[in-house]
Amino acid sequence: MNSGPAAESARRVFAIAARHAYVLRRSPHRVFDVVVWPAVDVVLFGSIGIFAASRATGTARQVTLYLLVGVVLWHVVYQAQIAVATGFLEETWSRTVLNLMVTPMREWEYLAGVALFGLVKLVAGVGVVALIAWGAYAFDVTSIGVGLIPIAVLLLAIGWAIAMFVVGLVLRFGSGAEVLAWGILFMTMPLSGVFYPVSALPAAIRPIGRALPTTHAFEAGRLLAAGRPTPWGELWLAGAGTAVLVVASLGYLGWMLRIFRARGYITRYL
């Protein structure tokens, strides 16, 4: 007598599980929560552990320097990217994309306006991080010297370039791609050696890390903070990589805008 209700409950449970499996299959970006975030955590914290262990018999100052420089400079990339990407996502969430498209405003004017406000948020965010690093850990970000300016400019440009890729993805795949606003950024973090040298990464992914302009920008910042001469080689590599990334992001965004108009994807946001 009791097998009937129990079997019916089991069928309902499996039906709900199957429905969510279908949603996952139809929304590939949800794989980030299942696979990508755990992989990022393992690589990031595993590499921090390897780097710290390799310096365990020496001085802890270098480990501290890597961490603090990484935190301060990373927030330049983070605030620049998130400000632009979430600025556009706000338009999709509030379904005002159509309103923007029927105004005489050009696309670059909109992006420039969002980026300008993003600069205000960047100054506030990085300022808080720098003040806490100075007050709590006696790390003065100005110790990097005037070399901080080109590094910050490069990281700012990289953040904007990543944001343009995200905007292009949202135009193509809809607001469901919003997870990529954070996903792409935080995949970049462990690969760039923000808190450790690239040599601490697993050997298989070190070439990817060395190819990223962020890697060389962070390395230049650490060398300057340690009192080394200006690392022109690292700055040159970071600048060249940033230029390639910016051109690629602009090309991708322009391509996605053409597809967005031609295929009428505006209906996704109505």
Side-chain angles (χ1 to χ4, degrees), residues 9-243:
S9 295
R11 281 194 294 270
R12 290 171 183 166
V13 169
F14 282 110
I16 292 297
R19 184 166 70 88
H20 283 277
Y22 177 77
V23 171
L24 179 64
R25 186 172 66 86
R26 295 285 296 175
S27 305
H29 57 272
R30 295 175 186 266
V31 174
F32 267 80
D33 293 330
V34 181
V35 177
V36 177
W37 290 127
V40 167
D41 286 343
V42 170
V43 174
L44 177 62
F45 294 108
S47 298
I48 290 176
I50 289 175
F51 172 58
S54 69
R55 300 299 191 276
T57 56
T59 175
R61 184 178 183 277
Q62 188 179 23
V63 177
T64 305
L65 184 68
Y66 269 66
L67 290 173
L68 291 175
V69 172
V71 168
V72 174
L73 294 182
W74 173 250
H75 270 270
V76 178
V77 183
Y78 175 80
Q79 296 291 347
Q81 192 269 350
I82 288 297
V84 176
T86 57
F88 179 73
L89 283 168
E90 287 284 356
E91 312 296 349
T92 68
W93 294 330
S94 59
R95 298 184 180 274
T96 57
V97 177
L98 180 60
N99 296 338
L100 292 172
M101 292 192 68
V102 297
T103 66
M105 180 169 46
R106 298 183 178 91
E107 289 86 355
W108 72 266
E109 293 171 340
Y110 172 78
L111 287 174
V114 174
L116 180 62
F117 178 67
L119 284 174
V120 177
K121 296 167 68 176
L122 185 149
V123 171
V126 175
V128 169
V129 172
L131 283 174
I132 293 175
W134 174 69
Y137 305 104
F139 173 71
D140 184 3
V141 69
T142 60
S143 64
I144 298 177
V146 294
L148 177 64
I149 297 175
I151 294 171
V153 169
L154 289 172
L155 293 175
L156 181 65
I158 291 168
W160 283 341
I162 296 174
M164 285 186 283
F165 273 117
V166 172
V167 171
L169 289 167
V170 172
L171 287 173
R172 177 63 181 82
F173 300 105
S175 58
E178 65 191 56
V179 68
L180 299 174
W182 292 268
I184 294 176
L185 191 64
F186 284 98
M187 284 174 61
T188 305
M189 178 194 283
L191 294 173
S192 301
V194 176
F195 307 117
Y196 43 79
V198 175
S199 58
L201 287 170
I205 59 176
R206 285 175 198 165
I208 301 175
R210 294 190 180 98
L212 294 174
T214 42
T215 299
H216 302 286
F218 285 115
E219 182 62 23
R222 289 190 290 261
L223 290 172
L224 287 172
R228 304 285 185 83
T230 302
W232 293 111
E234 296 291 346
L235 288 174
W236 185 89
L237 289 171
T242 301

